[in-house]
Amino acid sequence: MTLSFEVHRHAAGSVLLRLHGELGRGEAAIFHRALSTALAAMPSELLLDLSMVTSVDVDGIGVLMAAPRAADQLNCRFALTAVSPAVDRLLPPDCRVGTVPPPCNR
């Protein structure tokens, strides 16, 4: 299963980006397209839902670290809303569900 995504815009200025499938080096282009789509609305908050990510590798976690940096460049708050067990196993301890604190957010 390859990576797919959904973008949901909310009236309060937040955008939810939900990923589905596998996330690794091969899916980096799809992830960056998803991130660009989500941030195109210039949201005040970007919410990332990884609950439907079925597998991830170290390269995939590296790709995910682009999200808080991209949001920060737009003065957009970033938060993880949910993670799958596959993601949770590889996520750094300072990058858990909720608002992502530095250094994960930089």
Side-chain angles (χ1 to χ4, degrees):
M1 175 183 211
T2 188
L3 186 67
S4 62
F5 64 92
E6 302 170 35
V7 175
H8 300 278
R9 291 172 179 83
H10 299 282
S14 65
V15 169
L16 173 68
L17 173 57
R18 181 174 292 130
L19 302 180
H20 300 264
E22 302 169 356
L23 182 58
R25 181 180 298 175
E27 292 77 31
I30 297 169
F31 174 75
H32 289 294
R33 186 175 68 224
L35 184 58
S36 293
T37 300
L39 292 175
M42 300 296 288
S44 58
E45 179 177 55
L46 175 62
L47 307 173
L48 184 59
D49 181 343
L50 305 174
S51 62
M52 302 303 290
V53 173
T54 55
S55 68
V56 66
D57 60 20
V58 174
D59 291 322
I61 293 296
V63 167
L64 285 174
M65 294 301 109
R69 287 190 298 270
D72 189 54
Q73 289 178 345
L74 297 173
N75 294 317
C76 174
R77 184 175 170 270
F78 174 82
L80 289 175
T81 60
V83 296
S84 68
V87 173
D88 194 49
R89 280 193 300 276
L90 292 178
L91 210 58
D94 61 337
C95 300
R96 297 295 181 198
V97 172
T99 301
V100 180
C104 187
N105 197 22
R106 300 277 181 243

